[in-house]
Amino acid sequence: MAATKTSKEQRYDRQLRLWGDHGQEALENAHVCLINATATGTETLKNLVLPGDKPTYLIIIQGSVGKMYLHVIFNSSEHCFFMLQNRAQAATELLQELNSDVSGNFVEENPDKLLDNDPEFFHRFTLVIGVQLPESTCLRLGSVLWSASVPFLVCKTYGLIGYMRLVVKEHTVIESHPDNALEDLRLDQPFAELKSHIQSYDLESMEKKDHSHTPWIIIVAKYLEKWLSEHNSQPPKNYKEKEAFRQLIRQGILKNDNDVPEDEENFEEAVKNVNTALNPTKIPTAVEDLINSEQCSNITSQSASFWVMLRAIKEFIQSEGNGSLPVRGTIPDMIADSQKFINLQNVYREKAMQDAAAVSKHVECILQSVGKPPESISEKDIRLFCKNASFLRVVCCRSLAEEYSVDSVNKDEITSYMDSPDSEMVLYLMLRAVDRFYQQHSRYPGVYNYQVEEDISKLKLCVNSLLQEYSLNVNIKDDYIHEFCRYGAAEPHTVAAFLGGSAAQEVIKIISHQFVPFNNTFIYNAMSQTSATFQL
Amino acid sequence: MNLLLFSLFREKKRRRVVELTEKMVVDGGTGTRCEWEGRWNHVRKFLERSGPFTHPDFEASTESLQFMLDTCKILVIGAGGLGCELLKDLALSGFCNIHVVDMDTIDVSNLNRQFLFRPKDVGRPKADVAAEFINSRIPGCCVVPYPFESNAFCVEFHIIVCGLDSIVARRWMNGMLLSLLVYEDGVLDPSSIIPLIDGGTEGFKGNARVILPGMTACIDCTLELYPPQINFPMCTIASMPRLPEHCIEYVRILLWPKEKPFGDGVGLDGDDPDHIQWVYQKSLERAAEFSITGVTYRLTQGVVKRIIPAVASTNAVIAGKGQNPGIVKFAYIPLNNYMVFNDVDGLYTYTFEAERKENCSACSQVPQDLHFSPSSKLQEVLDYLTESASLQMKSPAITATVEGKNKTLYLQSVASIEQRTRPNLSKTLKELGLSDGQELAIADVTTPQTMLFRLSFTS
């Protein structure tokens, strides 16, 4: 009998394995607004439409510059359509090709006009993406979105340079899915149930079969006990001691009648994992910082569940946790027979459940203390939070206003990167200079061939005035000024594609609250194929 | 100038522009290129203007654009996640002569990222559908599909771009291009070099690299960068499962051949939901026996098909990066030569120059030495060939010239020969009549050319 998997699950199978059903649901319920359907804009849109059914994307087509180029975007329904950045064509094509299935709406409007007449238009969105917008529009939009606490992603492809700026006040991440997570084994401070489980093993009296299939965690624990009793309760600390500890374990390998060591892979594993096993159980600094933060200390009825749960963890640490986070409850696979492994796994699992239950009680109390019903945060969410307690992350980006204000510009970041004159930071400064040029001349430098030469000196003036205004004592090579004139504000497809992919992924991170977004300025240099992230 | 002709020409051009905007389906695939004002403005700025960071040999001219539009012939291998992105990027950037190879057909699970395909295309060959789509949507572009195996024609192309999903296939392509290199008096003829741009993605990670066969590091030079696939030990699967994956592998490897649930000789087809359902049920039973939790339908399918998670965005990024060298190549110094990308936490890229391996088994032209004692068994040689990190062969066939005659020592791919030569595995090299300095010819799916090894006896 065939399993009736919904076709949606089949279609999204490959990505569901990355962010799960709950992540997918978040995507599908999001309302994203993309402003300006240029190559970069449509690429970003394509990468958002593909993973999410029935998008409610609102595309605002800015008044055209008169140029006409072809952007093909492919959406999840039967229809694909051209987007031509010429106002006259756009309306026709979109009406022809967009259908209600896609539930994308389009508005043909100038974002500055919208900001004039109806700034609250933007309040309804989960996130707004602004593509190839001039500086003034960006800043205005940025300020509206900041007050409404709507995340804003600025994207720009300029010649061979890609630029992204994320503006989000406070973005919490529970499921950060770190690439290299340390295991949570508690061997340095075994909890009661783990202790008694370890004690239930007597390595010396075991038959070979059992001996060779004892999980390495037990082996390390046993020999650690021995070591501690012989070393004044001090665990192995330096390389020398750890080597000696490894030797101690090796000596535990069974020998046959001829005194030759048997092939005991589980002991080999134990030796190999000594470093992991001896990692002291501690709360990661990043998490400590969060726990000591203001949001965690001052819980109100407005506090997000993230902070309520974190506060509960704090209280857990101070009581049942004895200074540690709740036990994660997972162990890596290791050589062992099924029963020994499952039993050991269950010891960790059950402790994790116990700890989560304790945290739950704290959550209830906290909620009650701020007048909210205890069911406002589900058990499931609390368990997920506890499991990921070591990996919690919060990303707070500065506002655009702060970045652009002379009083709060991040001079240190800029000048320190500019110590290497070819660092990507110079590209950021050039983008700012180019924006300045646009403000002054109502066009970008070098768009037409005849302009390239004469614009170089004009752009240089912009560069100098920029550096002066912000009192930035840095040197920008003339080569970069020349290069940016050469670009002529081109939007080559290859860079647009790269940026479109990157931007879409950051948007997905923000919407799903999984994986960690960048903070807060990303520059891609397609000439050298390098990139950098700055916090400005 | 003949004003009439001039006006006619302008009229024709104007009409074309109007046609384009009135009906969206354009006749592509015939090589007639439709141009309109400013179509290539973006690309022109890079090809027709000089700049301070361009390649020292670059000269701004209109020829490069013409070359791209008219002459440059690109082969795209793979029309899947990366392939679709690559085709689109190349076509939109101005390349009009593109050939695409892919032997696969379209599956529903492709649709979350392989955007040249629609639900109605499921079951059709990817190469065909991809070509149709691009040809009908991008005026002037001509994509020629090869929905079948065809490896005799690489030499026609200026650049080859790969979006493959297997390391074996990559190594084959790599070997193929190496075999096309022409050496004159030991010096490499640069016109015989066909650049290979390779990319791969997995979830939120990916990489792109530029290979100039014979000059830069090749795929085999950096084989250790690809971690070998994890296979669970048999004893774990057979008698000591601990993870849900072990239970699934038990059903796939041991139970299916035993119970033949869909008939004699019917192999497990990961794409058949009935097959997966059966495996899933049996895996649950197996797991219940050992009190293992976590077997789900999704996990079952993932394990059976060795599914790698994939999203549209990573493919877009890597294709953008990979295809960039193609365009940038004309004007700038191309990527040198390996870039990795990871956007699990922020966005991380790292570019480095992968170095050629001096004794690379594929590109170094240095005969590989095999060091074994004469009393080593042939099985040990076989194990070395498959397990060595630098060779990672799949099922090598070993032949040697013994007493003037060509002798197949061991060959796996043909059942009758495998049976006949299997006893050789437990014979020593001496017993097999092999001598010190002897050449062994070894063939494998990982290389299109037979590799020569030199046997070097240790005492």
Side-chain angles (χ1 to χ4, degrees):
Chain A
M1 188 165 32
T4 38
K5 293 194 82 213
T6 66
S7 68
K8 208 170 77 168
E9 262 196 65
Q10 276 181 301
R11 184 189 179 111
Y12 298 129
D13 179 84
R14 299 297 184 272
Q15 69 203 38
L16 290 171
R17 290 164 195 276
L18 288 167
W19 53 66
D21 298 303
H22 56 301
Q24 186 66 28
E25 208 184 311
L27 279 187
E28 293 178 18
N29 293 328
H31 298 269
V32 174
C33 175
L34 182 110
I35 306 175
N36 212 353
T38 66
T40 309
T42 52
E43 281 287 341
T44 309
L45 191 64
K46 156 178 85 54
N47 295 322
L48 287 171
V49 169
L50 279 169
D53 216 12
K54 294 200 198 14
T56 51
Y57 298 108
L58 201 74
I59 308 163
I60 305 180
I61 302 141
Q62 196 177 38
S64 82
V65 189
K67 257 193 286 197
M68 190 165 80
Y69 41 92
L70 211 67
H71 307 297
V72 197
I73 74 172
F74 310 87
N75 60 38
S76 63
S77 86
E78 294 293 308
H79 296 256
C80 17
F81 48 97
F82 289 111
M83 304 271 310
L84 296 156
Q85 209 203 4
N86 176 304
R87 194 181 285 181
Q89 270 95 0
T92 330
E93 269 70 80
L94 282 179
L95 286 173
Q96 274 179 351
E97 303 267 0
L98 267 176
N99 82 6
S100 55
D101 259 25
V102 178
S103 58
N105 303 302
F106 76 97
V107 166
E108 212 189 310
E109 185 59 90
N110 189 305
D112 278 305
K113 276 234 189 77
L114 266 173
L115 284 168
D116 286 332
N117 302 328
D118 182 20
E120 284 178 23
F121 169 82
F122 295 105
H123 289 197
R124 78 192 75 170
F125 294 108
T126 316
L127 181 145
V128 174
I129 310 166
V131 179
Q132 312 289 95
L133 295 177
E135 183 181 296
S136 55
T137 314
C138 258
L139 291 175
R140 284 186 73 194
L141 193 52
S143 140
V144 166
L145 296 174
W146 183 265
S147 345
S149 295
V150 173
F152 182 31
L153 180 66
V154 181
C155 297
K156 187 177 277 203
T157 296
Y158 198 91
L160 291 176
I161 310 299
Y163 163 86
M164 287 199 295
R165 169 64 155 101
L166 180 64
V167 191
V168 58
K169 258 188 205 156
E170 179 187 282
H171 178 78
T172 59
V173 183
I174 299 170
E175 291 176 273
S176 58
H177 303 290
D179 267 338
N180 297 306
L182 293 174
E183 300 285 348
D184 185 21
L185 302 176
R186 306 289 167 120
L187 288 172
D188 60 333
Q189 37 169 92
F191 46 92
E193 295 84 342
L194 180 59
K195 247 201 203 129
S196 63
H197 186 75
I198 294 168
Q199 252 146 34
S200 70
Y201 280 85
D202 182 3
L203 290 175
E204 257 100 74
S205 68
M206 280 175 143
E207 294 279 322
K208 176 170 187 309
K209 189 155 186 241
D210 282 327
H211 196 261
S212 307
H213 291 98
T214 297
W216 70 253
I217 289 180
I218 302 286
I219 296 172
V220 171
K222 284 289 195 189
Y223 283 94
L224 189 59
E225 267 174 22
K226 189 157 186 248
W227 175 282
L228 291 171
S229 67
E230 293 168 9
H231 288 83
N232 205 14
S233 298
Q234 291 300 313
K237 291 216 178 58
N238 53 36
Y239 178 77
K240 202 166 152 200
E241 290 180 1
K242 287 183 185 173
E243 261 310 296
F245 184 58
R246 286 190 193 97
Q247 257 315 101
L248 189 65
I249 296 175
R250 275 196 200 97
Q251 278 161 21
I253 296 179
L254 286 180
K255 295 194 177 54
N256 64 15
D257 299 325
N258 296 336
D259 222 25
V260 173
E262 298 273 22
D263 194 11
E264 298 207 280
E265 277 187 77
N266 57 334
F267 272 78
E268 302 295 336
E269 268 191 339
V271 166
K272 225 171 50 174
N273 283 291
V274 158
N275 271 334
T276 310
L278 295 178
N279 264 325
T281 305
K282 64 188 275 278
I283 304 173
T285 328
V287 181
E288 278 271 23
D289 289 340
L290 290 177
I291 288 172
N292 294 328
S293 72
E294 219 233 291
Q295 293 96 316
C296 186
S297 313
N298 296 333
I299 301 291
T300 69
S301 57
Q302 308 299 322
S303 298
S305 344
F306 179 92
W307 297 110
V308 174
M309 288 191 279
L310 188 63
R311 177 58 173 272
I313 296 242
K314 181 177 186 170
E315 289 173 16
F316 170 89
I317 294 171
Q318 287 162 354
S319 49
E320 302 96 335
N322 290 320
S324 301
L325 291 169
V327 166
R328 194 177 311 155
T330 55
I331 56 173
D333 189 28
M334 59 193 75
I335 306 234
D337 65 54
S338 313
Q339 193 160 55
K340 292 193 181 62
F341 180 81
I342 301 292
N343 288 344
L344 179 63
Q345 192 180 53
N346 284 338
V347 168
Y348 282 91
R349 265 192 197 161
E350 274 151 27
K351 179 66 172 150
M353 284 202 292
Q354 225 181 68
D355 284 355
V359 171
S360 226
K361 287 248 155 42
H362 288 286
V363 170
E364 267 180 46
C365 288
I366 296 167
L367 286 172
Q368 263 166 355
S369 74
V370 292
K372 292 185 90 176
E375 314 84 57
S376 348
I377 301 179
S378 72
E379 292 287 331
K380 198 165 156 221
D381 286 345
I382 297 172
R383 262 182 271 126
L384 186 69
F385 197 83
C386 290
K387 191 166 174 214
N388 285 282
S390 306
F391 313 129
L392 305 171
R393 298 278 296 274
V394 176
V395 172
C396 298
C397 305
R398 296 208 314 161
S399 68
L400 286 177
E402 287 172 285
E403 176 186 343
Y404 281 68
S405 154
V406 173
D407 301 320
S408 51
V409 61
N410 195 342
K411 269 176 79 166
D412 288 342
E413 183 95 337
I414 298 175
T415 42
S416 71
Y417 274 101
M418 284 304 288
D419 273 343
S420 350
D422 296 307
S423 120
E424 280 77 11
M425 183 57 81
V426 73
L427 303 170
Y428 166 76
L429 292 171
M430 283 312 305
L431 287 173
R432 292 287 303 267
V434 154
D435 272 340
R436 202 160 267 239
F437 188 103
Y438 185 83
Q439 264 177 329
Q440 283 173 21
H441 303 276
S442 298
R443 63 176 178 85
Y444 286 107
V447 173
Y448 294 102
N449 284 346
Y450 73 86
Q451 293 171 330
V452 179
E453 276 304 315
E454 62 187 56
D455 281 350
I456 292 176
S457 48
K458 292 200 183 99
L459 184 56
K460 185 152 190 182
L461 286 174
C462 293
V463 169
N464 290 336
S465 84
L466 177 79
L467 296 179
Q468 210 171 38
E469 184 179 327
Y470 290 98
S471 316
L472 290 167
N473 194 8
V474 299
N475 185 36
I476 297 186
K477 291 192 209 164
D478 280 346
D479 279 348
Y480 288 102
I481 301 175
H482 184 178
E483 185 72 358
F484 271 68
C485 280
R486 175 175 190 255
Y487 288 160
E491 198 185 353
H493 204 92
T494 115
V495 183
F498 178 94
L499 208 62
S502 306
Q505 195 48 48
E506 296 308 303
V507 170
I508 290 173
K509 288 182 193 174
I510 299 282
I511 296 174
S512 66
H513 282 268
Q514 294 187 42
F515 304 94
V516 184
F518 72 105
N519 184 4
N520 56 31
T521 301
F522 175 77
I523 303 267
Y524 169 61
N525 180 348
M527 287 188 285
S528 58
Q529 300 273 44
T530 53
S531 72
T533 303
F534 306 121
Q535 213 167 22
L536 297 173
Chain B
M1 172 182 302
N2 185 322
L3 280 176
L4 179 64
L5 271 178
F6 188 59
S7 325
L8 279 175
F9 166 74
R10 288 189 66 189
E11 173 57 35
K12 223 171 153 186
K13 190 173 171 189
R14 187 193 71 78
R15 278 232 198 95
R16 264 210 197 134
V17 164
V18 170
E19 259 168 24
L20 238 193
T21 60
E22 277 178 3
K23 51 180 169 87
M24 286 340 301
V25 179
V26 179
D27 239 6
T30 59
T32 46
R33 208 180 328 118
C34 305
E35 298 298 345
W36 55 88
E37 191 75 37
R39 183 176 182 189
W40 306 116
N41 273 358
H42 294 288
V43 179
R44 271 190 215 274
K45 289 187 172 121
F46 297 100
L47 300 177
E48 294 173 9
R49 293 180 178 183
S50 62
F53 297 111
T54 54
H55 195 287
D57 297 334
F58 172 70
E59 267 178 48
S61 80
T62 52
E63 282 172 24
S64 305
L65 180 63
Q66 286 314 116
F67 174 71
M68 263 172 64
L69 296 177
D70 297 334
T71 320
C72 189
K73 212 163 159 190
I74 303 192
L75 176 64
V76 175
I77 306 187
L82 271 180
C84 285
E85 292 281 346
L86 287 165
L87 286 170
K88 177 242 321 152
D89 287 344
L90 288 167
L92 284 172
S93 295
F95 293 98
C96 298
N97 278 301
I98 307 171
H99 293 231
V100 62
V101 182
D102 195 315
M103 294 186 286
D104 243 350
T105 54
I106 299 165
D107 178 70
V108 175
S109 65
N110 297 147
L111 301 176
N112 79 324
R113 62 205 184 282
Q114 298 173 25
F115 55 87
L116 299 178
F117 314 139
R118 292 283 168 281
K120 64 172 169 57
D121 298 319
V122 172
R124 286 188 63 200
K126 288 188 181 182
D128 284 340
V129 181
E132 268 168 35
F133 201 107
I134 299 274
N135 290 339
S136 68
R137 293 288 174 171
I138 300 185
C141 192
C142 181
V143 179
V144 178
Y146 295 90
F148 45 79
E149 194 170 332
S150 179
N151 54 14
F153 65 114
C154 300
V155 74
E156 300 169 20
F157 297 95
H158 294 97
I159 304 175
I160 299 184
V161 190
C162 277
L164 288 165
D165 62 357
S166 93
I167 297 167
V168 170
R170 280 182 177 87
R171 292 177 70 183
W172 182 273
M173 200 59 230
N174 186 57
M176 177 62 64
L177 293 181
L178 288 168
S179 71
L180 295 175
L181 293 175
V182 172
Y183 288 85
E184 269 154 38
D185 297 326
V187 176
L188 178 58
D189 172 11
S191 67
S192 64
I193 299 176
I194 302 178
L196 171 66
I197 300 174
D198 180 54
T201 68
E202 183 174 330
F204 297 138
K205 304 184 194 155
N207 67 273
R209 64 189 297 184
V210 175
I211 295 174
L212 299 170
M215 282 180 62
T216 64
C218 77
I219 300 275
D220 281 53
C221 290
T222 55
L223 209 51
E224 289 94 354
L225 286 177
Y226 299 109
Q229 214 163 34
I230 298 173
N231 287 311
F232 304 117
M234 227 5 163
C235 55
T236 304
I237 296 176
S239 49
M240 267 182 289
R242 297 175 296 269
L243 303 178
E245 287 86 343
H246 300 158
C247 303
I248 298 165
E249 286 286 78
Y250 167 81
V251 175
R252 180 180 76 87
I253 297 173
L254 296 173
L255 205 60
W256 178 286
K258 200 167 93 168
E259 293 196 13
K260 304 188 223 256
F262 289 81
D264 245 327
V266 177
L268 170 51
D269 178 5
D271 292 315
D272 187 334
D274 289 337
H275 288 206
I276 298 290
Q277 182 64 20
W278 187 88
V279 174
Y280 171 51
Q281 287 304 130
K282 293 292 174 182
S283 303
L284 281 173
E285 286 168 26
R286 172 88 171 155
E289 261 183 70
F290 293 89
S291 311
I292 297 172
T293 57
V295 175
T296 61
Y297 185 95
R298 192 178 288 163
L299 183 68
T300 305
Q301 200 178 27
V303 171
V304 169
K305 291 182 67 175
R306 295 206 186 264
I307 288 178
I308 296 174
V311 280
S313 40
T314 317
N315 283 326
V317 164
I318 296 297
K321 267 204 283 183
Q323 188 252 341
N324 205 35
I327 310 297
V328 171
K329 179 181 186 302
F330 292 121
Y332 292 83
I333 299 171
L335 168 68
N336 188 18
N337 56 35
Y338 198 116
M339 183 182 188
V340 297
F341 174 83
N342 182 341
D343 66 355
V344 166
D345 184 343
L347 298 115
Y348 170 77
T349 66
Y350 177 65
T351 307
F352 66 98
E353 187 179 338
E355 285 179 0
R356 283 188 79 177
K357 212 159 120 191
E358 267 178 35
N359 58 346
C360 172
S361 52
C363 75
S364 70
Q365 300 196 300
V366 167
Q368 303 287 302
D369 276 338
L370 285 175
H371 299 277
F372 287 94
S373 93
S375 59
S376 306
K377 304 217 172 73
L378 187 64
Q379 178 72 56
E380 289 173 55
V381 177
L382 193 72
D383 288 341
Y384 172 73
L385 293 171
T386 50
E387 287 163 19
S388 135
S390 54
L391 291 173
Q392 291 187 42
M393 292 193 166
K394 297 294 158 193
S395 50
I398 311 173
T399 52
T401 311
V402 180
E403 285 156 19
K405 281 197 280 198
N406 213 18
K407 186 174 170 182
T408 302
L409 297 175
Y410 184 66
L411 190 145
Q412 259 181 281
S413 45
V414 180
S416 53
I417 305 181
E418 198 278 327
Q419 255 187 334
R420 184 169 52 81
T421 55
R422 204 186 304 156
N424 288 342
L425 291 176
S426 33
K427 297 204 181 129
T428 66
L429 301 179
K430 193 164 170 213
E431 280 171 355
L432 290 167
L434 301 173
S435 49
D436 189 27
Q438 169 118 39
E439 260 186 6
L440 296 178
I442 299 180
D444 185 54
V445 287
T446 49
T447 161
Q449 287 178 294
T450 306
M451 284 173 61
L452 289 176
F453 285 78
R454 198 170 46 206
L455 197 54
S456 174
F457 278 162
T458 59
S459 45

